[in-house]
Amino acid sequence: MAPVIEVRDARPDDADTLVMLWRELATGTGHQARLLAAPSAESARAAVARHRDDPSGRLIVGEIDGVLGGMAYLRQTPLSPLHDETTVMVEYLHVSDHARRHGLGKALMAEAASWAEHGNCPHLAVLAPPVAREANRFLARLGLGQAGMVRFASTHTVRRRLAAEHAPNMLGLLSSRRSVIARRAQLPRSPLVEDPSYADASYGDPQYDEAQYEDQQYDGPQYGANGFDDPAYEKLEELRLPAEPESAGT
């Protein structure tokens, strides 16, 4: 007797089995196993309730004789930023080992195709790990060709790697600066620097005494008895100044 297969939307009481299926998916294919921690039953129940209220997404499960054995996440998304058409993306498609070879995977994909037709979505896409050879062969038999590869990482990892891309340039700059400093250290020093007579203390020598450069050298009789401050010098300058020319209007 053929097993009874049923595909339906997930319910909150499916949370424990959904977590088990997710662990199987992550362990068997390495799909995000190193990046995402396994969800808890509480978070799975909250996610199921959220998906039931989302018209653009569905979390479906498949049962064989009343035993839940597969799941898939469906969501409607634009085909591209420049197209009006939408496509149905199938993610986290997984069938447990005990439920395989009974047509459960085909039943899940048939539900995805029906939902795409109901929403007038002309395209259907499936996200499958590249190491899942059996799943990829199954999808290829359904006419799904490879269109690209999706890579996944934490934001922190990407930011750290981006910063590391600039590290060689910084290291090269520091290395060049160290080379310049080393070359300068090997150059012969100027004899003026080595001569102690040019040390800072030499500028205190009496020959550079500021007293010799005071105004006494400008106190000669040609500048008046009191130098530039003598009134006679001011009168002499007034006599030497040329008269201002008379304007044409006077």
Side-chain angles (χ1 to χ4, degrees):
M1 182 177 178
V4 178
I5 297 176
E6 180 185 1
V7 177
R8 58 174 175 81
D9 290 290
R11 298 189 299 259
D13 56 353
D14 297 326
D16 293 332
T17 307
L18 288 171
V19 172
M20 182 191 67
L21 292 174
W22 192 94
R23 290 179 183 274
E24 291 178 359
L25 175 64
T27 303
T29 63
H31 184 58
Q32 302 178 354
R34 297 176 298 173
L35 305 172
L36 297 177
S40 63
E42 292 77 9
S43 64
R45 276 190 289 270
V48 169
R50 184 173 63 253
H51 293 312
R52 291 176 68 90
D53 298 331
D54 183 9
S56 63
R58 293 178 63 191
L59 180 59
I60 60 176
V61 295
E63 293 181 341
I64 294 182
D65 294 333
V67 179
L68 199 153
M71 68 175 184
Y73 175 52
L74 316 178
R75 62 184 178 94
Q76 294 180 356
T77 181
L79 182 62
S80 80
L82 305 178
H83 287 80
D84 294 333
E85 296 89 354
T86 59
T87 182
V88 169
M89 176 70 71
V90 182
E91 303 177 60
Y92 299 96
L93 175 65
H94 177 66
V95 176
S96 188
D97 290 339
H98 69 84
R100 294 181 180 178
R101 310 300 179 185
H102 296 290
L104 187 55
K106 290 182 179 180
L108 292 170
M109 288 300 300
E111 181 63 24
S114 298
W115 193 53
E117 292 170 346
H118 180 75
N120 295 322
C121 299
H123 300 281
L124 189 68
V126 182
L127 180 62
V131 296
R133 296 182 178 180
E134 185 176 354
N136 281 283
R137 286 196 295 264
F138 165 70
L139 296 172
R141 289 196 300 268
L142 296 180
L144 292 157
Q146 184 174 357
M149 179 179 292
V150 177
R151 296 187 177 272
F152 190 88
S154 65
T155 306
H156 173 73
T157 299
V158 176
R159 177 59 65 186
R160 180 166 53 84
R161 296 294 179 89
L162 288 172
E165 291 291 333
H166 299 282
N169 296 334
M170 294 299 297
L171 293 176
L173 179 60
L174 292 175
S175 178
S176 63
R177 289 181 177 178
R178 294 192 187 100
S179 300
V180 172
I181 294 174
R183 287 196 298 269
R184 288 179 178 176
Q186 295 174 359
L187 292 176
R189 303 186 66 181
S190 173
L192 296 179
V193 178
E194 299 293 341
D195 193 345
S197 62
Y198 287 90
D200 292 340
S202 64
Y203 291 98
D205 193 277
Q207 61 177 324
Y208 299 108
D209 191 358
E210 294 182 358
Q212 300 186 18
Y213 293 94
E214 292 181 353
D215 289 343
Q216 60 183 354
Q217 58 178 318
Y218 299 105
D219 292 340
Q222 69 273 23
Y223 302 109
N226 299 319
F228 288 109
D229 295 332
D230 193 284
Y233 177 76
E234 296 179 359
K235 292 181 179 180
L236 180 61
E237 288 298 317
E238 292 178 0
L239 293 176
R240 290 177 180 176
L241 291 175
E244 297 182 358
E246 296 182 356
S247 60
T250 57

